[in-house]
Amino acid sequence: SWAVVLILFDIDGTLLMGTPRAHTEALAVAIGDVYGVPVDVGDVVAVRPAGRTDQEIARLVLRGAGVPDDRVTAGLGEWMARAAEVYPGIDAAHPGPRVAPGAAEALARVAAAPVSVALLTGNLEPIAHAKMGRAGLGEHFARGRGAFGSDHERRDALVPIAVAREPAPLPAVVVGDTPRDIACARAAGARCVAVTTGSYG
């Protein structure tokens, strides 16, 4: 491989701006469909989802509703599939995402550099790629690369997963906007570039 480093980009608050309303709504709808627990967008927002994986968000919402952890775990596979299934229809009813200032230019520059580029996000993988496609950034991120909230519930586990998917081992750099992005980089011994396009200064 000619790449000398793996750059792992977060999505929400890093490459894309604004509250991902369609994403949040899809998680809530899928919780209701799979677990029979009536929740809404407010319940998802209440667990402070920034920087969390989608699986962790679902667990926290369901735990708050009194659902035992073992029942949450047993249903996560079905829940992830349902969230990915309902997302496109919900997303179509919402305005498209706004690309963060400088994000498209940064991706164009790294595309011409000796680096490998992938996503590292708490989003479920189908939702992550759908967001990138709608934002016009999908060409930068090949499927089968990176790591997602569908790969593991703990964000700290995602960097090693992304590195293992590369054709050859590469040192990783995480680009993200939350303290959890920084923490997951440090947990893996990776470098981190923290950006202030999200809700943190």
Side-chain angles (χ1 to χ4, degrees):
S1 173
W2 69 294
V4 296
V5 68
L6 171 62
I7 304 180
L8 297 166
F9 284 94
D10 173 56
I11 295 178
D12 299 306
T14 300
L15 294 175
L16 302 182
M17 302 292 290
T19 303
R21 171 81 188 202
H23 181 185
T24 306
E25 193 174 318
L27 302 188
V29 168
I31 287 173
D33 289 350
V34 172
Y35 292 95
V37 176
V39 299
D40 59 25
V41 168
D43 297 308
V44 177
V45 173
V47 303
R48 301 174 64 88
R52 299 189 191 278
T53 69
D54 285 354
Q55 290 191 71
E56 182 186 12
I57 293 165
R59 185 178 299 279
L60 292 173
V61 170
L62 287 161
R63 189 179 284 166
V67 178
D69 271 350
D70 59 347
R71 186 180 161 215
V72 174
T73 301
L76 279 175
E78 183 183 355
W79 172 79
M80 288 190 284
R82 183 59 179 157
E85 182 181 20
V86 301
Y87 176 78
I90 294 172
D91 184 49
H94 290 275
R98 290 185 295 118
V99 177
E105 293 82 355
L107 290 173
R109 289 182 69 180
V110 298
V115 301
S116 186
V117 177
L119 293 170
L120 187 107
T121 173
N123 290 195
L124 300 178
E125 185 170 3
I127 293 176
H129 284 296
K131 285 183 182 181
M132 291 293 94
R134 190 168 184 198
L137 302 176
E139 64 180 343
H140 296 285
F141 300 104
R143 294 178 185 270
R145 309 269 299 281
F148 304 86
S150 35
D151 291 318
H152 205 285
E153 188 171 336
R154 289 191 308 104
R155 195 176 186 111
D156 285 0
L158 296 186
V159 173
I161 292 171
V163 170
R165 286 179 171 155
E166 290 300 299
L170 293 172
V173 178
V174 175
V175 182
D177 69 298
T178 75
R180 291 187 178 94
D181 295 299
I182 298 170
C184 86
R186 288 180 174 164
R191 302 297 294 271
C192 184
V193 176
V195 299
T196 56
T197 39
S199 56
Y200 292 89

